[in-house]
Amino acid sequence: MITTSVCEMTGIKYPLLQGGMAHISDAALAAAVSNAGGLGIISAASGNIAQIEAEIDKARTLTDKPFGVNVMLMGQNVDEIAALLAKKKVAAVTTGAGNPERYIPMWKEAGITVIPVVPSASLAKLCARGGADAIIAEGGESGGHVGDLTTMALVPQVCDAVDIPVIAAGGIADGRGVAAAFMLGAVGVQMGTRFLTAKECNISRAYKDKVLAAKDTSTIVTGKRLGHPVRSIKTAFSRAYAKAEYTQISNDDLENMAVGTLRAAVVDGDEKKGCFLAGQIAGMVNREQTAAEIIGEVFAEAENILNGAEKWVK
Ligand code: TUI
Protein backbone atom coordinates (compact mmCIF):
# COMPACT_ATOMS: atom_id res chain seq x y z
CA MET A 1 0.00 0.00 0.00
CA ILE A 2 1.42 3.36 -1.01
CA THR A 3 -0.10 6.20 0.92
CA THR A 4 1.22 9.74 1.37
CA SER A 5 0.25 13.21 2.60
CA VAL A 6 -1.48 13.77 -0.77
CA CYS A 7 -4.00 11.02 0.12
CA GLU A 8 -4.70 12.62 3.48
CA MET A 9 -4.96 16.12 2.04
CA THR A 10 -7.45 15.21 -0.68
CA GLY A 11 -9.25 12.20 0.85
CA ILE A 12 -8.11 9.71 -1.82
CA LYS A 13 -6.75 6.15 -1.64
CA TYR A 14 -3.87 6.35 -4.15
CA PRO A 15 -1.64 9.47 -4.45
CA LEU A 16 -2.62 9.92 -8.09
CA LEU A 17 -4.27 12.80 -9.91
CA GLN A 18 -5.70 12.57 -13.41
CA GLY A 19 -4.60 15.41 -15.66
CA GLY A 20 -7.16 18.10 -16.42
CA MET A 21 -7.04 17.78 -20.19
CA ALA A 22 -8.86 20.47 -22.20
CA HIS A 23 -11.90 19.13 -24.11
CA ILE A 24 -11.13 15.62 -22.75
CA SER A 25 -11.39 15.45 -18.96
CA ASP A 26 -15.16 15.35 -18.42
CA ALA A 27 -17.38 14.17 -15.57
CA ALA A 28 -17.33 10.56 -16.78
CA LEU A 29 -13.53 10.27 -16.78
CA ALA A 30 -13.08 12.24 -13.55
CA ALA A 31 -15.72 10.18 -11.72
CA ALA A 32 -14.18 6.91 -12.97
CA VAL A 33 -10.76 7.95 -11.65
CA SER A 34 -12.21 9.10 -8.32
CA ASN A 35 -14.26 5.91 -7.96
CA ALA A 36 -11.03 3.97 -8.56
CA GLY A 37 -9.30 5.75 -5.67
CA GLY A 38 -7.45 8.55 -7.48
CA LEU A 39 -8.39 12.21 -7.78
CA GLY A 40 -10.40 12.73 -10.97
CA ILE A 41 -10.15 16.18 -12.51
CA ILE A 42 -12.67 17.90 -14.79
CA SER A 43 -11.23 20.39 -17.28
CA ALA A 44 -12.93 23.79 -17.18
CA ALA A 45 -11.30 24.75 -20.49
CA SER A 46 -13.94 23.14 -22.66
CA GLY A 47 -17.16 25.03 -22.06
CA ASN A 48 -19.04 28.07 -20.84
CA ILE A 49 -19.92 28.64 -17.18
CA ALA A 50 -23.25 26.78 -17.39
CA GLN A 51 -21.58 23.78 -19.05
CA ILE A 52 -18.83 23.65 -16.43
CA GLU A 53 -21.41 23.80 -13.64
CA ALA A 54 -23.41 21.01 -15.32
CA GLU A 55 -20.28 18.87 -15.57
CA ILE A 56 -19.55 19.34 -11.85
CA ASP A 57 -23.16 18.44 -11.00
CA LYS A 58 -22.97 15.39 -13.27
CA ALA A 59 -19.78 14.17 -11.61
CA ARG A 60 -21.51 14.46 -8.24
CA THR A 61 -24.18 12.05 -9.48
CA LEU A 62 -21.49 9.61 -10.70
CA THR A 63 -19.29 9.53 -7.61
CA ASP A 64 -19.47 10.31 -3.92
CA LYS A 65 -15.67 10.52 -3.82
CA PRO A 66 -13.74 13.81 -4.01
CA PHE A 67 -12.78 15.19 -7.43
CA GLY A 68 -11.23 18.41 -8.69
CA VAL A 69 -11.47 20.92 -11.52
CA ASN A 70 -8.59 22.24 -13.63
CA VAL A 71 -8.51 25.90 -14.67
CA MET A 72 -6.45 26.80 -17.74
CA LEU A 73 -5.33 30.30 -16.77
CA MET A 74 -4.55 31.32 -20.37
CA GLY A 75 -8.16 30.56 -21.27
CA GLN A 76 -11.38 32.58 -21.42
CA ASN A 77 -13.65 33.65 -18.52
CA VAL A 78 -11.06 32.72 -15.91
CA ASP A 79 -12.47 35.14 -13.29
CA GLU A 80 -15.97 33.69 -13.73
CA ILE A 81 -14.72 30.11 -13.63
CA ALA A 82 -12.70 30.82 -10.48
CA ALA A 83 -15.80 32.26 -8.78
CA LEU A 84 -17.95 29.32 -9.91
CA LEU A 85 -15.52 26.81 -8.37
CA ALA A 86 -15.64 28.69 -5.06
CA LYS A 87 -19.46 28.70 -5.21
CA LYS A 88 -19.58 24.96 -5.98
CA LYS A 89 -17.01 24.23 -3.24
CA VAL A 90 -15.30 21.56 -5.34
CA ALA A 91 -12.86 19.42 -3.35
CA ALA A 92 -9.78 20.53 -5.27
CA VAL A 93 -8.62 22.94 -7.96
CA THR A 94 -5.57 22.47 -10.15
CA THR A 95 -4.38 25.27 -12.41
CA GLY A 96 -2.24 25.37 -15.54
CA ALA A 97 -0.60 27.75 -17.99
CA GLY A 98 -0.23 30.67 -15.61
CA ASN A 99 0.12 32.02 -12.09
CA PRO A 100 -3.03 31.38 -9.98
CA GLU A 101 -1.92 33.52 -6.98
CA ARG A 102 -4.80 36.00 -7.13
CA TYR A 103 -7.47 33.29 -6.91
CA ILE A 104 -5.93 31.28 -4.08
CA PRO A 105 -7.45 33.27 -1.14
CA MET A 106 -10.98 32.94 -2.59
CA TRP A 107 -10.57 29.20 -3.14
CA LYS A 108 -9.04 28.63 0.31
CA GLU A 109 -11.93 30.50 1.91
CA ALA A 110 -14.30 28.06 0.17
CA GLY A 111 -12.39 25.13 1.72
CA ILE A 112 -10.87 24.05 -1.61
CA THR A 113 -7.53 22.23 -1.80
CA VAL A 114 -5.44 24.29 -4.24
CA ILE A 115 -2.78 22.54 -6.33
CA PRO A 116 -1.15 24.66 -9.07
CA VAL A 117 0.73 23.02 -11.95
CA VAL A 118 4.10 24.70 -12.44
CA PRO A 119 7.01 24.36 -14.88
CA SER A 120 9.62 26.01 -12.62
CA ALA A 121 10.83 26.22 -9.02
CA SER A 122 10.35 30.01 -9.04
CA LEU A 123 6.61 29.73 -9.78
CA ALA A 124 6.34 26.89 -7.24
CA LYS A 125 7.74 29.26 -4.59
CA LEU A 126 5.29 32.03 -5.49
CA CYS A 127 2.36 29.60 -5.30
CA ALA A 128 3.50 28.17 -1.97
CA ARG A 129 3.87 31.68 -0.56
CA GLY A 130 0.41 32.47 -1.92
CA GLY A 131 -1.16 29.65 0.09
CA ALA A 132 -1.19 26.64 -2.27
CA ASP A 133 -1.67 23.30 -0.48
CA ALA A 134 0.54 21.27 -2.83
CA ILE A 135 2.35 21.72 -6.14
CA ILE A 136 2.28 19.71 -9.33
CA ALA A 137 5.73 19.94 -10.95
CA GLU A 138 5.15 19.17 -14.62
CA GLY A 139 8.08 18.37 -16.86
CA GLY A 140 8.14 19.00 -20.60
CA GLU A 141 7.68 15.30 -21.40
CA SER A 142 3.99 15.91 -20.82
CA GLY A 143 1.36 16.45 -23.45
CA GLY A 144 -0.21 19.84 -24.06
CA HIS A 145 1.28 23.13 -22.90
CA VAL A 146 4.86 22.45 -21.83
CA GLY A 147 7.62 24.22 -19.91
CA ASP A 148 11.35 23.97 -20.62
CA LEU A 149 12.52 21.58 -17.91
CA THR A 150 12.34 17.80 -17.82
CA THR A 151 10.58 16.02 -14.98
CA MET A 152 13.94 14.58 -13.85
CA ALA A 153 15.44 18.07 -13.44
CA LEU A 154 12.31 19.90 -12.30
CA VAL A 155 10.88 17.69 -9.55
CA PRO A 156 13.87 17.66 -7.14
CA GLN A 157 14.39 21.40 -7.61
CA VAL A 158 10.74 22.12 -6.82
CA CYS A 159 10.98 19.78 -3.80
CA ASP A 160 13.96 21.81 -2.56
CA ALA A 161 12.17 25.11 -3.22
CA VAL A 162 8.94 24.52 -1.25
CA ASP A 163 7.89 22.85 1.98
CA ILE A 164 4.49 21.66 0.76
CA PRO A 165 3.87 18.28 -0.91
CA VAL A 166 5.08 17.97 -4.53
CA ILE A 167 3.29 15.86 -7.12
CA ALA A 168 5.26 14.88 -10.24
CA ALA A 169 3.81 15.04 -13.75
CA GLY A 170 5.15 14.59 -17.27
CA GLY A 171 6.45 11.28 -18.58
CA ILE A 172 4.74 9.08 -15.98
CA ALA A 173 2.57 6.24 -17.27
CA ASP A 174 3.38 3.17 -15.18
CA GLY A 175 4.70 1.93 -11.86
CA ARG A 176 8.29 2.60 -12.85
CA GLY A 177 7.46 6.26 -13.38
CA VAL A 178 5.68 6.45 -10.02
CA ALA A 179 8.63 4.84 -8.21
CA ALA A 180 11.07 7.19 -9.98
CA ALA A 181 8.95 10.23 -9.07
CA PHE A 182 9.05 9.19 -5.42
CA MET A 183 12.82 8.84 -5.58
CA LEU A 184 12.97 12.45 -6.82
CA GLY A 185 11.08 13.58 -3.72
CA ALA A 186 7.51 13.65 -5.02
CA VAL A 187 4.72 12.22 -2.86
CA GLY A 188 2.21 11.83 -5.67
CA VAL A 189 1.87 11.71 -9.43
CA GLN A 190 -0.38 13.17 -12.08
CA MET A 191 -1.01 11.16 -15.25
CA GLY A 192 -2.78 12.43 -18.36
CA THR A 193 -1.73 10.52 -21.47
CA ARG A 194 -2.25 7.08 -19.88
CA PHE A 195 -5.91 7.97 -19.33
CA LEU A 196 -6.47 8.87 -23.00
CA THR A 197 -7.11 5.19 -23.72
CA ALA A 198 -9.19 4.59 -20.59
CA LYS A 199 -12.52 3.00 -21.42
CA GLU A 200 -14.27 5.89 -19.67
CA CYS A 201 -12.40 8.52 -21.73
CA ASN A 202 -14.82 9.93 -24.31
CA ILE A 203 -12.53 10.97 -27.15
CA SER A 204 -12.67 10.13 -30.84
CA ARG A 205 -11.65 6.65 -32.02
CA ALA A 206 -8.93 8.26 -34.17
CA TYR A 207 -7.40 9.95 -31.09
CA LYS A 208 -7.22 6.67 -29.14
CA ASP A 209 -5.79 4.86 -32.15
CA LYS A 210 -3.07 7.51 -32.53
CA VAL A 211 -2.01 7.08 -28.89
CA LEU A 212 -2.10 3.27 -29.17
CA ALA A 213 0.04 3.40 -32.33
CA ALA A 214 2.52 6.00 -31.04
CA LYS A 215 6.17 5.16 -30.41
CA ASP A 216 8.74 6.96 -28.28
CA THR A 217 9.57 9.57 -30.94
CA SER A 218 5.99 10.17 -32.09
CA THR A 219 5.45 13.56 -30.41
CA ILE A 220 6.58 17.05 -31.39
CA VAL A 221 6.53 20.47 -29.69
CA THR A 222 5.06 23.31 -31.73
CA GLY A 223 4.05 26.87 -30.87
CA LYS A 224 7.33 28.12 -29.41
CA ARG A 225 7.31 31.14 -31.74
CA LEU A 226 4.04 32.38 -30.20
CA GLY A 227 5.15 31.58 -26.66
CA HIS A 228 2.73 28.67 -26.14
CA PRO A 229 4.72 25.51 -26.76
CA VAL A 230 2.44 22.49 -27.04
CA ARG A 231 3.36 18.79 -27.34
CA SER A 232 1.21 16.68 -29.64
CA ILE A 233 1.41 13.54 -31.75
CA LYS A 234 3.16 14.08 -35.09
CA THR A 235 0.57 14.39 -37.86
CA ALA A 236 0.41 16.14 -41.22
CA PHE A 237 -1.05 19.13 -39.34
CA SER A 238 1.61 19.35 -36.60
CA ARG A 239 4.43 18.92 -39.13
CA ALA A 240 2.95 21.65 -41.36
CA TYR A 241 2.55 23.95 -38.33
CA ALA A 242 6.15 23.28 -37.22
CA LYS A 243 7.36 24.17 -40.71
CA ALA A 244 5.19 27.31 -40.88
CA GLU A 245 6.80 28.63 -37.69
CA TYR A 246 10.07 29.03 -39.60
CA THR A 247 8.51 30.92 -42.52
CA GLN A 248 7.50 34.56 -43.00
CA ILE A 249 3.87 33.77 -42.10
CA SER A 250 2.44 36.43 -39.75
CA ASN A 251 1.83 35.63 -36.08
CA ASP A 252 -1.90 36.22 -36.62
CA ASP A 253 -2.03 33.67 -39.42
CA LEU A 254 -0.03 31.23 -37.31
CA GLU A 255 -2.44 31.74 -34.41
CA ASN A 256 -5.39 31.16 -36.76
CA MET A 257 -3.89 27.90 -37.98
CA ALA A 258 -4.33 26.48 -34.46
CA VAL A 259 -7.91 27.65 -33.82
CA GLY A 260 -10.30 24.77 -33.26
CA THR A 261 -7.60 22.10 -33.63
CA LEU A 262 -8.04 20.56 -30.15
CA ARG A 263 -11.77 20.08 -30.71
CA ALA A 264 -11.11 18.73 -34.19
CA ALA A 265 -8.90 16.02 -32.65
CA VAL A 266 -11.03 15.18 -29.59
CA VAL A 267 -14.54 15.39 -31.04
CA ASP A 268 -14.14 14.83 -34.79
CA GLY A 269 -10.93 12.76 -34.86
CA ASP A 270 -10.00 14.88 -37.86
CA GLU A 271 -6.57 13.67 -39.00
CA LYS A 272 -5.96 16.71 -41.20
CA LYS A 273 -6.98 19.57 -38.89
CA GLY A 274 -6.68 17.97 -35.44
CA CYS A 275 -3.99 18.62 -32.83
CA PHE A 276 -3.72 15.36 -30.86
CA LEU A 277 -2.09 16.40 -27.57
CA ALA A 278 -0.12 13.60 -25.89
CA GLY A 279 3.04 13.16 -23.83
CA GLN A 280 6.29 11.42 -24.69
CA ILE A 281 5.16 8.24 -22.94
CA ALA A 282 2.39 7.71 -25.52
CA GLY A 283 4.68 5.00 -26.89
CA MET A 284 4.10 3.02 -23.66
CA VAL A 285 0.31 3.26 -23.80
CA ASN A 286 -0.69 0.18 -25.75
CA ARG A 287 -3.95 -1.03 -24.21
CA GLU A 288 -7.46 0.17 -23.50
CA GLN A 289 -8.36 -0.44 -19.87
CA THR A 290 -10.77 0.94 -17.30
CA ALA A 291 -9.49 3.69 -15.01
CA ALA A 292 -9.63 1.20 -12.13
CA GLU A 293 -7.46 -1.29 -14.05
CA ILE A 294 -4.94 1.43 -14.92
CA ILE A 295 -4.63 2.73 -11.37
CA GLY A 296 -4.55 -0.76 -9.82
CA GLU A 297 -1.83 -1.89 -12.23
CA VAL A 298 0.30 1.25 -11.85
CA PHE A 299 0.34 1.12 -8.06
CA ALA A 300 0.86 -2.65 -7.84
CA GLU A 301 3.91 -2.21 -10.08
CA ALA A 302 5.20 0.80 -8.13
CA GLU A 303 4.84 -1.06 -4.84
CA ASN A 304 6.70 -4.03 -6.25
CA ILE A 305 9.57 -1.87 -7.46
CA LEU A 306 9.85 0.12 -4.25
CA ASN A 307 9.76 -3.07 -2.14
CA GLY A 308 12.41 -4.60 -4.40
CA ALA A 309 14.84 -1.74 -3.81
CA GLU A 310 16.58 -3.93 -1.21
CA LYS A 311 17.99 -5.90 -4.14
CA TRP A 312 20.57 -3.20 -4.72
CA VAL A 313 20.63 -1.36 -1.38
CA LYS A 314 22.41 -3.35 1.30
O1 TUI B 1 -1.52 23.71 -18.79
C1 TUI B 1 -0.97 22.67 -19.02
N1 TUI B 1 -1.23 21.93 -20.12
C2 TUI B 1 -2.11 22.29 -21.11
S1 TUI B 1 -3.08 23.66 -21.15
C3 TUI B 1 -3.69 23.21 -22.64
S2 TUI B 1 -4.86 24.13 -23.50
C4 TUI B 1 -3.92 25.04 -24.59
N2 TUI B 1 -4.46 25.26 -25.75
C5 TUI B 1 -3.81 25.95 -26.67
C6 TUI B 1 -2.58 26.51 -26.42
C7 TUI B 1 -2.01 26.29 -25.23
C8 TUI B 1 -2.68 25.53 -24.29
C9 TUI B 1 -3.15 22.05 -23.03
N3 TUI B 1 -2.28 21.55 -22.15
N4 TUI B 1 -0.05 22.16 -18.16
C10 TUI B 1 0.36 22.87 -17.01
C11 TUI B 1 1.45 23.79 -17.35
N5 TUI B 1 1.50 25.02 -16.94
N6 TUI B 1 2.50 23.52 -18.13
C12 TUI B 1 3.26 24.65 -18.17
C13 TUI B 1 2.60 25.59 -17.43
C14 TUI B 1 2.96 26.95 -17.17
C15 TUI B 1 3.71 27.68 -18.08
C16 TUI B 1 4.02 29.00 -17.82
C17 TUI B 1 2.55 27.55 -15.99
C18 TUI B 1 2.88 28.86 -15.75
C19 TUI B 1 3.59 29.57 -16.65
O2 TUI B 1 3.94 30.88 -16.45
C20 TUI B 1 3.35 31.48 -15.36
C21 TUI B 1 3.55 32.94 -15.28
O3 TUI B 1 2.67 33.64 -15.81
O4 TUI B 1 4.53 33.33 -14.65
Side-chain angles (χ1 to χ4, degrees):
M1 180 81 185
I2 295 176
T3 181
T4 72
S5 54
V6 172
C7 302
E8 229 168 87
M9 176 182 288
T10 52
I12 56 178
K13 182 174 172 196
Y14 299 102
L16 172 133
L17 279 65
Q18 161 244 318
M21 299 172 281
H23 297 282
I24 296 173
S25 302
D26 61 5
L29 180 60
V33 169
S34 289
N35 283 332
L39 189 73
I41 306 279
I42 293 170
S43 168
S46 338
N48 60 35
I49 295 292
Q51 287 165 329
I52 298 164
E53 182 160 21
E55 216 55 34
I56 294 168
D57 291 341
K58 184 176 171 192
R60 285 182 171 156
T61 69
L62 297 174
T63 185
D64 54 8
K65 300 271 189 333
F67 63 86
V69 176
N70 175 262
V71 185
M72 214 279 269
L73 296 166
M74 252 169 43
Q76 318 251 306
N77 305 328
V78 176
D79 288 353
E80 289 85 346
I81 293 169
L84 171 74
L85 302 183
K87 184 186 96 174
K88 301 296 281 183
K89 296 191 188 302
V90 294
V93 168
T94 63
T95 62
N99 181 345
E101 260 183 309
R102 66 197 175 108
Y103 302 114
I104 295 179
M106 174 174 62
W107 288 333
K108 293 305 307 164
E109 204 158 299
I112 295 171
T113 301
V114 181
I115 316 180
V117 182
V118 305
S120 66
S122 53
L123 186 56
K125 264 188 190 162
L126 283 179
C127 293
R129 236 179 270 150
D133 296 289
I135 292 287
I136 300 171
E138 186 183 86
E141 297 95 321
S142 68
H145 187 46
V146 290
D148 287 329
L149 296 177
T150 60
T151 301
M152 182 78 113
L154 176 66
V155 172
Q157 296 190 74
V158 171
C159 289
D160 288 346
V162 300
D163 53 13
I164 54 178
V166 175
I167 295 161
I172 301 169
D174 65 10
R176 294 170 297 182
V178 173
F182 275 54
M183 294 300 99
L184 296 175
V187 286
V189 295
Q190 175 175 275
M191 298 196 317
T193 302
R194 176 88 192 247
F195 287 112
L196 289 174
T197 62
K199 291 194 174 144
E200 300 90 345
C201 182
N202 295 307
I203 56 175
S204 62
R205 188 64 247 167
Y207 205 140
K208 292 198 181 202
D209 287 342
K210 284 209 181 309
V211 175
L212 292 168
K215 57 184 178 123
D216 55 352
T217 55
S218 290
T219 68
I220 183 171
V221 175
T222 55
K224 279 200 173 147
R225 183 172 132 187
L226 296 178
H228 317 307
V230 163
R231 182 180 299 284
S232 66
I233 296 178
K234 286 175 187 164
T235 59
F237 167 76
S238 62
R239 285 194 174 96
Y241 190 96
K243 245 188 197 168
E245 291 190 78
Y246 290 94
T247 66
Q248 302 289 318
I249 184 176
S250 71
N251 282 355
D252 280 351
D253 285 347
L254 204 54
E255 192 101 50
N256 284 334
M257 255 182 101
V259 172
T261 53
L262 297 187
R263 237 190 101 81
V266 174
V267 180
D268 310 324
D270 188 325
E271 317 253 343
K272 292 216 176 75
K273 290 194 213 129
C275 181
F276 297 80
L277 302 182
Q280 288 184 325
I281 47 69
M284 280 165 31
V285 181
N286 303 317
R287 280 166 304 148
E288 294 181 64
Q289 296 168 294
T290 63
E293 285 166 350
I294 292 170
I295 294 171
E297 188 178 287
V298 166
F299 276 90
E301 191 187 3
E303 207 172 313
N304 225 3
I305 292 170
L306 292 168
N307 280 330
E310 285 170 15
K311 272 189 308 207
W312 58 83
V313 184
K314 297 289 177 219

